[in-house]
Amino acid sequence: MKYFSLLYLFLFSAVSFAQLSLQVNDEHTDNPVEGAHVSFISASDSTYAVTDAKGKVTFKAASSGEVRITHISYLPISKNISAGKSNTIYLSPLQTGLDEVVVTGHARPVMASQSVRNIRVIDAQRIDQQGAVNLGELLSNDLNFRVSEDAVLGSQLSLQGLSGSKIKILVDGVPIIGRLDGNIDLNQINLNDIERVEVVEGPMAVQYGTDAVAGTINLITKRKATNEVDVNLNGYYETVGRYNFDGSVGIPLGKFQGNIGLGRNYFDGYSPNEESRDFQWNPKEQYFANASLQRRFNKVMARYRFDFFDENIVNRGAVGSMSDNVVPVDTGGAWYYPQALDDTYRTIRVNNALYADYYPREDMKVKAFVACNYYQRQKETTIKNLNTGDESIFPGTDAQDTTTFAMLSSRMFYQHDWIPNKLNYQLGYDFSYEENIGQRIEGDFKDITDLALFATAEYKPIKSINIQPGLRYAYNSRFDAPLISSLALRYQISEKYILRASFGQGFRAPSLKEMYFLFVDENHNILGNEGLQAETSNNYQLSLNYSRSYSNANVEASVSGFFNDIRNEIRLVSVITPDSTDNRGLYRNENIARTQTTGGTVTIKTTLYNFQIETGATFIGMKNYLAFNDVATATGNEGFNFYPQLRFNINYNFKKIGLRPALFMNYTGKRSDLALNIDGDLITTTYDNYTMAEFTIQKSFLKEKLILTVGSKNLFDVTQINANNTVSGGAHTTGGGSIPLSYGRTYFTRLQWSF
């Protein structure tokens, strides 16, 4: 009996502390998958771990159970395994199909095909292949987006025919601040530390509040979990005079995971006239840094992220731009030393965010963040003597300025799967406090507070139907915010077809800049307006998606349409028309009666053997406030002005030699808009069509540790487009001009090294 008891205790101990070893590999390459999140769930316990650099993870388990594995680049998998055995599990890469994992608008990562709303993903592979340095370059290749450039304000964006002021831009769910003329400068959003970009077209105002009317763009940063030091270096050169370099280091710190990144982007500036002192595209220098630290505390995942950005833009004046202050060489005054008026713009961004995800139970989750964002823009105007090089401060009004914007924001929501696979709901709050300080702000200081409660639910009355209603109630310290609602539907018609429809109300409070900011320089003269009202909108989306997998191919096609109806839209309205005495004129933010946009899109995505092909076409119609007046009706200009956009992307992967060529093309057709000329006549301004194209070749070495990308941007050498004005109801042209679009065809090379 004694020996029997000892044997029993020995066997019990062995079972209690049996090692469960798990190997996670890529099913196509058989390479280990690092950073996969592994949960082991048994009848008596559950535990969690992350695979190391060799794709391995080990648990102490007393019995058999279920293992669940997720990874941002692979399809999730669940499988029953036994303790005391070694198991190898293979993950299917997302790029072999057309589905993606998304998080925007969701409490947990879900497959894009399972999302109630249409969400498209631009992954790291596309970012690298396109050679995109910033968000503006990346989105210029996407349908329904239109990217324009301003020499001072930077890159600006429109979506579904609506301006950038109605597009919410987030980084890991945290709003980006620092809008000029209603837009975030996309050239200031670097992609060096971005894993993917998620785009939701249409209103997300219930979930994300003000600005989320035309769409939401969420940039997801890289969060590589590793047990070894991980170093990444990137170098970029472009023949127009762009020199970029950045690097990052991932460091395991005991139970913590740390990451530090540094970088510099430099642009020489460009002018079509090489002898000209002033540039059409201004010289620019950017420095940026980021750091993050994360750790799991039992059921809580905590992460802190810090971002710093410093940009200097030099806007040089033409030779003799200060001709009234020339200095004669001699008393005869036969020669002159010309002087020039130069502007320098410096932008500083500092972002801090603390995240926490809490999993009290398998069917519950709490997700929260607290963030503090700081934005400062300094303008300095100097007079430069081009003979001696001496500089002095220009004493003109508004020539020197420092404007500061700061925002404290927080968001938290609780999700509960009340009835598994049937009903879940979210309850949460959004809070933001923003303040603006500067001499161009009326009174030198203004602030605004926004606090909102929101609730959404997802109900499946039957297996094939998902219904997602939502409500948001907000308090705004300067405006009466209405109760807004949304309703989204997903209907799985069959295994191949998915129908989605959504309705959403939008609310956008005027920003402090639109109300109180005065922006004056040699190109702009813009007044704020304290009397602005909040914008409201009704937005509709409808889409039909088709997908099918074959033995060697995957096909996904979609047909979608939208309609946006904006009331009290805020636009810049001409108060004083530019003339020979002041080419800037005077513009003021005003509420206009109504604006509508509508359109439809067709896309096809195909993977065939080693080919990946994306084609699409969209027609966007715009109807601004002038189309609703009697003059437009009398002249037959009360309808929508439509313009087409076509897209074609193709790449091929030579897997054996690690070579991947790619072609990206985007055609924007002629578009028109209504405006008033100096005589008060209704005119139609027509902008010419153009095509932007890029060709790249990517080659990997050393088992993809070293990746070289070379290519050409703007293959058709497009530099500007023409704009022609025609009086409505007549055929004669009243004038026009050209709009700078790009600095022409360039060639680039990019080298990425991971070790």
Side-chain angles (χ1 to χ4, degrees), residues 297-588:
F297 299 89
N298 194 10
K299 295 182 179 181
V300 177
M301 173 64 81
R303 184 169 72 100
Y304 167 74
R305 181 175 174 87
F306 166 82
D307 288 278
F308 172 80
F309 176 85
D310 187 343
E311 176 188 76
N312 275 282
I313 298 176
V314 179
N315 185 21
R316 297 174 181 167
V319 175
S321 56
M322 288 294 295
S323 58
D324 55 328
N325 292 325
V326 294
V327 180
V329 171
D330 53 38
T331 55
W335 299 92
Y336 296 90
Y337 292 148
Q339 295 179 325
L341 197 64
D342 293 349
D343 293 329
T344 301
Y345 299 90
R346 185 183 184 190
T347 300
I348 297 175
R349 293 179 180 271
V350 180
N351 301 324
N352 293 273
L354 179 63
Y355 303 84
D357 294 353
Y358 173 50
Y359 304 84
R361 293 193 335 221
E362 183 67 22
D363 60 345
M364 294 182 180
K365 178 176 182 178
V366 179
K367 191 170 184 177
F369 75 76
V370 177
C372 182
N373 298 345
Y374 174 87
Y375 172 92
Q376 185 182 84
R377 191 173 192 266
Q378 301 172 339
K379 178 192 175 185
E380 182 180 82
T381 304
T382 57
I383 303 171
K384 185 164 185 175
N385 186 305
L386 301 182
N387 177 57
T388 64
D390 294 337
E391 294 184 359
S392 59
I393 297 296
F394 178 66
T397 305
D398 297 316
Q400 323 301 324
D401 173 61
T402 298
T403 304
T404 301
F405 305 92
M407 183 172 74
L408 176 66
S409 62
S410 177
R411 174 182 170 91
M412 182 177 74
F413 65 81
Y414 162 78
Q415 172 162 320
H416 181 204
D417 295 333
W418 195 6
I419 304 176
N421 300 318
K422 192 79 171 180
L423 176 63
N424 67 74
Y425 63 88
Q426 288 183 22
L427 301 173
Y429 77 80
D430 255 338
F431 166 79
S432 68
Y433 169 77
E434 183 177 359
E435 59 181 29
N436 291 186
I437 304 171
Q439 69 184 52
R440 295 191 183 186
I441 298 294
E442 183 182 329
D444 296 337
F445 174 85
K446 297 294 179 183
D447 64 352
I448 190 170
T449 301
D450 190 90
L451 175 62
L453 301 176
F454 64 90
T456 63
E458 188 171 335
Y459 175 54
K460 298 183 68 173
I462 59 176
K463 186 177 180 180
S464 60
I465 294 180
N466 297 57
I467 303 173
Q468 188 183 72
L471 285 173
R472 183 185 185 93
Y473 175 75
Y475 161 78
N476 188 284
S477 61
R478 293 185 178 271
F479 298 93
D480 293 329
L483 178 70
I484 61 173
S485 62
S486 66
L487 181 64
L489 169 72
R490 177 186 181 274
Y491 175 34
Q492 183 88 41
I493 301 174
S494 67
E495 183 181 347
K496 301 174 185 176
Y497 292 94
I498 300 174
L499 177 69
R500 291 182 173 91
S502 66
F503 161 77
Q505 293 176 304
F507 168 78
R508 191 180 81 85
S511 68
L512 293 176
K513 297 176 187 177
E514 289 171 323
M515 292 187 290
Y516 303 109
F517 191 62
L518 174 66
F519 185 64
V520 178
D521 65 10
E522 65 177 23
N523 300 310
H524 307 85
N525 196 359
I526 301 172
L527 292 175
N529 182 356
E530 186 177 0
L532 290 174
Q533 302 176 39
E535 296 178 349
T536 58
S537 65
N538 290 326
N539 311 81
Y540 306 85
Q541 308 282 321
L542 180 67
S543 69
L544 178 65
N545 296 78
Y546 167 86
S547 62
R548 184 172 181 179
S549 295
Y550 301 87
S551 58
N552 294 308
N554 293 286
V555 177
E556 182 179 280
S558 69
V559 179
S560 62
F562 65 86
F563 177 75
N564 302 305
D565 190 1
I566 314 295
R567 303 279 186 164
N568 290 326
E569 185 187 14
I570 299 169
R571 280 201 181 188
L572 283 177
V573 176
S574 177
V575 178
I576 299 176
T577 305
D579 55 29
S580 58
T581 60
D582 189 349
N583 61 2
R584 299 171 303 172
L586 178 63
Y587 295 86
R588 177 184 173 94

